[in-house]
């Protein structure tokens, strides 16, 4: 439950008990902009913890939140010369002697969320750091995130720093159990659900793993641990500045706490906590358990945690370079607002993915990536989720296109999917990547055939590796043939935007098919497919089957539906991959048309809807010249920063009040990895354009045997 201070009369509380502290609370500044929600620990579908921006002003009282919206207890408390202050997460503060620190500033980068607070005479920074390091499989796959608590410019104050998490991190707090481990000073709490069913979720949280809070003594700190009733545990910290008291029993409302006693601090000091959620059996892939990639080197939790804490300095240096480089590149690509959009999207895009290897063999040459369709339905490796997200892989590390498609290709190659078009996903619900032997996947024939062929070519173009696609060429050809036969007179069917319902003869699908057929021509070297793709494009654009008569825009449906429209975002891969399936005029007409249908927060998906898709809008923007592109960026930024909502970045929102709805409000979609599509404008600068990701690689994480397709020249 969120503790709403306004309802509880914060005004009178301030007036009486806490006047000097509340009065100290100036307006908070958000840098570089106010997001809807700050990522705190966002690394995979089950480690996705956020701080809604509308709680930041009351951060000392505020619960964190799982991506789906349930509150999670996560507190940070400090003690300065014997006086205790909450920096985060103590809802019942006024009932204790703990005072709220004053929140000054909040900031996000692509990998960090930072909060500056003042606790009496000392300034603290909370640095929530979730590494994004796709080329470093070890670092990327660890299911932990850093919380660093820093003090600066301190002159002789006595300081202790405390953090706890509660049973809600297990997904079923009333059945939670607790264990404490100590390995040569590395201390960690493990919280799990008693008799948890394997691979089971409850309200999108995993039940079968373990929530972790870990730390190790910093330079001169003394680390202690305690779990139990929060009043008892926090009271021990308040009284003594450490937790070396009697172990109290674990119950459903308990917390698991760690505290560092830094003693007298002069200058700067910081302590690191690791928070995480580990599933040893992470994914059920066709009946075989898959586990995190990191377990090949660090099979036990304490080894993995020890490495994670050791790796902090390297990970931090890499992240600073990445943040700076992404910001500079994105600003150069489409301005500072675009850089904000990209920064807020980065952790979320990778936070939908698990990077895994077989649980039994721990063989790293079996590495596969799994992605969850968060919030819409939980499907596994949905092709039309990988598709919108792929610009971020293209930019950061295009091998991930293969890593995400490979589990699907192996399944298709085994002949277990018998329909003539590409499967929609690899399982109805994460983490069950068990295919659809009953042939009952959501049917999106043209959509997924086109997507797969385009993704395959994107992989080849970005990596130069043809061996992977070569292996599956027969399968690709089958889908190219399906498109050749079925993509002019298109049967009634869904496209990716299934919320909009099915249609026959949807122009945007016909565009996707034309580009997909051409992509297969390029992929296979079979020229006649390229010619067929060009012929389809000619029919839909030059001969006008897919446009209105004056060629001002593509129509939603053909033939003879001139007043309809839908954003033709499927043109984007044609631009990115330089396929030239469609002539330039096919893109330029949109530049003029879409200003005429622009709502308060941009352009809707099609003429029937009042909602927009942020990923597809960034794709479409990539087909325009600069001024129209900037309008699309401005509109998405306006939605992201309007302060009217507090979910993780939503890729679907009301863009116009034309149908009577409040504009700028998100709809259904939370925390989806499809925000990788926001990288579409950056992707136009070229594949693998982020250099910082290659400069801080650690030993054995690249160029070893598991990376079968890498260029040997780049081996360390
Ligand atoms: C779809 O378009 C084709 C080609 O113009 C046309 O022959 C067919 O009748 C259309 N189908 C529907 C359902 O309108």
């Amino acid at each position: 439950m969120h503790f709403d201070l306004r309802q509880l009369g914060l005004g009178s509380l301030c007036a009486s008990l806490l006047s000097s502290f509340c009065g100290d609370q100036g307006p908070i500044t958000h840098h570089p902009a106010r997001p809807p929600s700050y990522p705190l620990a966002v690394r995979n579908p089950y480690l996705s913890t956020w701080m809604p921006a509308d709680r930041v002003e009351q951060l000392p009282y505020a619960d964190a939140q799982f991506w789906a919206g349930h509150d999670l207890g996560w507190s940070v408390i400090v003690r300065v010369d014997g006086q205790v202050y909450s920096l985060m997460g103590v809802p019942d503060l006024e009932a204790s002697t703990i005072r709220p620190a004053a929140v000054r500033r909040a900031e996000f980068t692509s990998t960090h969320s930072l909060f500056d607070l003042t606790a009496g005479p000392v300034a603290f920074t909370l640095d929530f750091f979730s590494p994004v390091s796709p080329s470093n499989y070890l670092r990327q796959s660890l299911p932990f995130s850093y919380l660093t608590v820093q003090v600066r410019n301190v002159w002789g104050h006595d300081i202790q720093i405390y953090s706890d998490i509660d049973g809600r991190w297990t997904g079923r707090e009333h059945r939670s159990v607790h264990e404490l481990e100590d390995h040569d000073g590395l201390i960690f709490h493990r919280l799990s659900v008693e008799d948890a069913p394997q691979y089971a979720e409850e309200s999108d949280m995993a039940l079968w793993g373990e929530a972790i809070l870990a730390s190790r003594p910093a330079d001169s700190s003394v680390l202690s641990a305690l779990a139990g009733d929060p009043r008892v545990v926090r009271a021990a910290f308040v009284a003594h500045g450490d937790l070396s008291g009697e172990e109290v029993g674990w119950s459903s409302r308990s917390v698991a706490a760690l505290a560092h006693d830094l003693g007298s601090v002069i200058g700067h000091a910081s302590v690191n906590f690791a928070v995480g959620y580990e599933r040893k059996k992470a994914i059920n892939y066709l009946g075989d358990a898959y586990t995190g990639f990191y377990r090949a080197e660090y099979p036990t939790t304490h080894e993995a945690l020890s490495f994670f804490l050791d790796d902090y300095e390297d990970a931090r240096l890499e992240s600073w370079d990445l943040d700076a480089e992404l910001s500079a590149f994105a600003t150069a690509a489409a301005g500072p607002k675009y850089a904000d959009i990209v920064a807020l999207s980065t952790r979320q895009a990778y936070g939908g993915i698990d990077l895994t290897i077989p649980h039994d063999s721990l063989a790293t040459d079996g590495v596969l990536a799994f992605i969850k369709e968060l919030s819409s339905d939980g499907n596994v490796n949905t092709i039309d989720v990988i598709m919108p997200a792929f610009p971020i892989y293209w930019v950061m590390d295009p091998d991930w296109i293969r890593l995400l498609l490979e589990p699907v290709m192996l399944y298709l190659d085994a002949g277990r999917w018998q329909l003539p078009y590409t499967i929609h996903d690899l399982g109805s619900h994460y983490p069950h990547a068990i295919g659809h032997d009953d042939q009952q996947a959501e049917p999106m024939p043209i959509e997924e055939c086109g997507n797969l062929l385009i993704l395959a070519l994107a992989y080849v173009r970005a990596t130069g590796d043809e061996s992977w696609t070569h292996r599956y060429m027969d399968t690709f050809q089958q889908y190219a043939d399906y498109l050749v036969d079925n993509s002019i007179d298109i049967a009634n069917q869904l496209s990716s935007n299934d919320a909009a319902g099915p249609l026959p003869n949807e122009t945007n699908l016909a565009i996707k098919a034309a580009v997909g057929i051409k992509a297969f021509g390029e992929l296979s070297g079979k020229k006649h497919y390229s010619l067929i793709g060009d012929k389809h494009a000619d029919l839909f654009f030059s001969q006008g089957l897919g446009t209105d008569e004056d060629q001002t825009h593509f129509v939603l449906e053909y033939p003879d539906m001139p007043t309809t429209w839908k954003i033709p975002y499927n043109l984007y891969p044609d631009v990115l991959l330089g396929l030239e399936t469609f002539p330039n005029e096919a893109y330029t007409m949109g530049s003029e048309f879409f200003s005429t249908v622009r709502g308060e927060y941009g352009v809707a998906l099609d003429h029937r809807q009042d909602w927009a898709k942020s990923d597809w809008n960034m794709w479409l923007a990539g087909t325009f010249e600069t001024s129209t592109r900037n309008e699309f960026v401005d509109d998405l930024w306006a939605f992201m920063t309007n302060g009217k909502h507090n979910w993780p970045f939503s890729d679907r929102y009301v863009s116009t009040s034309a149908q009577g709805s409040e504009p700028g409000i998100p709809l259904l979609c939370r925390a989806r990895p499809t925000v990788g599509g926001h990288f579409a404008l950056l992707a136009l600068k070229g594949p693998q354009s982020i250099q910082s990701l290659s400069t801080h690689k650690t030993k054995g994480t690249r160029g070893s045997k598991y990376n079968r397709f890498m260029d040997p020249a780049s081996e360390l």
Side-chain angles (χ1 to χ4, degrees):
M1 187 193 80
H2 174 44
F3 198 85
D4 189 335
L5 290 156
R6 278 155 309 188
Q7 281 168 15
L8 291 158
L10 179 67
S12 61
L13 203 67
C14 286
S16 56
L17 279 172
L18 304 164
S19 54
S20 60
F21 302 97
C22 293
D24 208 20
Q25 179 75 70
I28 292 167
T29 52
H30 295 268
H31 290 266
R34 181 190 159 120
S37 189
Y38 283 91
L40 299 184
V42 176
R43 302 224 58 194
N44 66 52
Y46 302 115
L47 179 60
S48 184
T49 304
W50 299 71
M51 181 56 69
D54 56 6
R55 296 183 181 183
V56 168
E57 206 157 305
Q58 301 300 338
L59 193 65
Y61 303 85
D63 276 336
Q65 213 177 55
F66 188 62
W67 69 260
H70 344 303
D71 286 343
L72 301 176
W74 188 0
S75 81
V76 184
I77 304 172
V78 297
R79 196 165 177 271
V80 179
D81 301 328
Q83 174 59 53
V84 182
Y85 302 85
S86 170
L87 306 189
M88 183 174 98
V90 184
D92 54 350
L93 209 45
E94 67 295 334
S96 73
T97 57
I98 304 175
R99 295 175 178 173
V103 190
R104 303 294 182 194
R105 183 179 189 275
E107 175 177 359
F108 67 89
T109 68
S110 53
T111 55
H112 295 256
S113 294
L114 302 131
F115 303 94
D116 292 338
L117 304 97
T118 314
V122 177
F124 286 84
T125 298
L126 302 182
D127 178 355
F128 295 90
F129 167 32
S130 294
V132 172
S133 188
S135 303
N136 183 331
Y137 294 178
L138 171 58
R139 182 175 292 154
Q140 182 62 37
S141 64
L142 287 158
F144 312 119
S145 189
Y146 300 101
L147 162 61
T148 305
V149 185
Q150 297 166 297
V151 292
R152 296 179 308 271
N153 304 321
V154 189
W155 299 105
H157 290 291
D158 196 49
I159 293 177
Q160 292 84 35
I161 296 171
Y162 164 109
S163 184
D164 69 35
I165 61 171
D166 71 10
R168 285 176 286 181
W169 285 71
T170 64
R172 202 176 265 178
E173 59 177 326
H174 60 282
R175 298 277 294 158
S176 61
V177 292
H178 166 258
E179 282 172 82
L180 182 68
E181 291 196 25
D182 183 340
H183 296 266
D184 300 324
L186 167 69
I187 301 181
F188 63 99
H189 295 279
R190 354 168 48 126
L191 307 181
S192 56
V193 172
E194 194 166 23
D195 303 324
Q198 186 68 28
Y199 300 130
E201 288 184 352
E202 191 156 293
S203 308
D204 276 296
M205 294 186 73
L207 294 180
W208 75 101
E210 295 184 328
I212 306 274
L213 179 70
S215 196
R216 210 163 39 190
D219 298 338
S220 60
S221 78
V222 177
L223 180 64
S224 56
L226 191 62
D229 185 314
R231 284 163 303 190
V232 176
V233 173
R234 291 169 186 169
F237 181 69
V238 169
H240 314 295
D242 72 48
L243 300 171
S244 48
E246 283 291 292
E247 197 64 31
V248 273
W250 181 266
S251 70
S252 67
R253 299 300 302 191
S254 289
V255 296
L258 295 172
H260 287 271
D261 185 352
L262 293 168
S264 178
V265 175
I266 300 201
H268 306 264
S270 70
V271 298
N272 279 336
F273 297 93
V275 68
Y277 189 89
E278 186 182 42
R279 298 122 56 213
K280 289 262 164 58
K281 291 186 174 179
I283 297 284
N284 170 13
Y285 179 49
L286 303 175
D288 293 329
Y290 272 60
T291 194
F293 181 89
Y294 63 94
R295 291 195 64 236
E297 283 190 59
Y298 302 108
T300 66
T301 306
H302 84 263
E303 289 168 304
L305 280 167
S306 181
F307 171 76
F308 181 72
L309 291 168
D310 285 345
D311 190 44
Y312 175 71
E313 205 51 36
D314 287 343
R316 185 179 62 88
L317 289 173
E318 179 189 67
S319 75
W320 285 8
D321 285 351
L322 175 63
D323 289 351
E325 196 182 350
L326 262 186
S327 171
F329 269 41
T331 304
K337 290 181 176 176
Y338 182 60
D340 297 349
I341 293 168
V342 161
L344 189 64
S345 306
T346 308
R347 278 169 285 180
Q348 179 171 322
Y350 284 97
I353 305 178
D354 281 301
L355 188 66
T356 68
I357 52 175
H359 177 268
D360 292 343
S361 68
L362 299 178
T364 51
D365 58 359
V367 61
L368 298 175
F370 295 92
I371 187 167
K372 185 176 182 185
E373 189 176 341
L374 276 80
S375 81
S376 35
D377 57 19
N379 285 179
V380 186
N381 288 36
T382 308
I383 304 299
D384 64 290
V385 165
I386 300 168
M387 183 67 171
F390 97 85
I392 195 172
Y393 316 136
W394 171 276
V395 169
M396 306 272 280
D397 184 345
D399 271 339
W400 283 62
I401 298 172
R402 171 180 56 79
L403 292 170
L404 287 160
L405 289 179
E406 178 73 346
V408 185
M409 295 312 299
L410 289 169
Y411 179 73
L412 296 174
D413 205 40
R416 290 167 68 170
W417 176 250
Q418 282 139 24
L419 298 181
Y421 50 81
T422 308
I423 199 167
H424 171 267
D425 60 74
L426 194 52
S428 298
H429 207 94
Y430 214 81
H432 291 288
I434 53 174
H436 293 279
D437 288 1
D438 62 1
Q439 317 300 310
Q440 294 300 311
E442 188 177 14
M444 292 187 188
I446 304 282
E447 173 74 43
E448 307 301 19
C449 287
N451 289 344
L452 187 63
L453 298 174
I454 292 164
L455 286 168
L457 182 64
Y459 170 75
V460 171
R461 287 286 172 81
T463 61
D465 167 41
E466 296 185 18
S467 60
W468 179 69
T469 49
H470 189 77
R471 193 176 331 148
Y472 299 114
M473 202 57 80
D474 291 348
T475 307
F476 293 138
Q477 170 139 11
Q478 179 195 327
Y479 299 141
D481 290 339
Y482 183 86
L483 290 180
V484 169
D485 294 342
N486 294 284
S487 66
I488 291 179
D489 186 356
I490 299 182
N492 190 44
Q493 64 189 279
L494 292 171
S495 77
S496 176
N497 312 286
D498 47 7
L503 278 181
N505 285 350
E506 184 181 327
T507 311
N508 198 39
L509 280 182
I511 293 172
K512 174 162 287 178
V515 175
I517 294 166
K518 182 120 188 217
F520 179 74
E522 300 287 310
L523 197 64
S524 62
K526 294 181 175 171
K527 277 274 176 303
H528 61 281
Y529 286 93
S530 300
L531 294 175
I532 293 169
D534 289 342
K535 231 175 76 195
H536 282 213
D538 186 70
L539 177 65
F540 285 102
F541 179 70
S542 304
Q543 296 178 46
L545 180 58
T547 71
D548 63 325
E549 208 168 324
D550 298 335
Q551 295 221 315
T552 67
H553 65 278
F554 281 107
V555 294
L556 170 67
E557 314 170 66
Y558 58 86
D560 305 325
M561 306 281 269
T563 61
T564 67
W565 58 265
K566 174 173 178 167
I567 58 166
Y569 57 81
N570 285 324
L571 293 170
Y572 171 74
D574 201 32
V575 176
L576 181 73
L577 302 175
L579 292 174
E580 299 182 345
T581 316
F582 286 83
N584 209 35
E585 301 77 61
Y587 316 125
T588 48
M589 69 174 178
S591 278
E592 279 182 38
F593 177 76
F594 286 109
S595 331
T596 69
V597 293
R598 185 181 176 199
E600 289 92 329
Y601 289 97
V603 175
L605 180 76
D606 67 47
H607 73 94
R608 302 164 302 171
Q609 321 298 340
D610 63 356
W611 48 268
K613 285 288 285 131
S614 65
D615 44 358
W616 299 138
N617 275 2
M618 287 299 100
W619 276 45
L620 182 66
T623 70
F624 294 145
E625 42 51 65
T626 314
S627 71
T628 312
R629 186 180 290 190
N630 289 347
E631 285 180 7
F632 275 69
V633 169
D634 287 353
D635 290 340
L636 178 53
W637 189 86
F639 161 69
M640 180 180 106
T641 61
N642 69 11
K644 297 209 271 186
H645 48 96
N646 63 3
W647 298 358
F649 210 147
S650 176
D651 53 317
R652 185 172 153 202
Y653 60 90
V654 178
S655 58
T656 169
S657 58
Q659 296 177 22
S661 295
E662 173 74 20
I665 301 295
L667 296 168
L668 179 82
C669 298
R670 290 170 178 258
R672 293 184 355 127
T674 46
V675 296
H678 298 163
F679 278 62
L681 303 178
L682 204 52
L684 294 169
K685 300 283 174 197
Q688 312 193 57
S689 44
I690 301 300
Q691 294 308 306
S692 55
L693 291 176
S694 57
T695 56
H696 293 291
K697 280 176 200 144
T698 54
K699 183 174 75 64
T701 53
R702 181 116 196 213
S704 56
K705 58 186 185 303
Y706 58 81
N707 202 336
R708 285 168 286 172
F709 307 107
M710 66 161 300
D711 172 11
S714 68
E715 206 152 332
L716 290 177

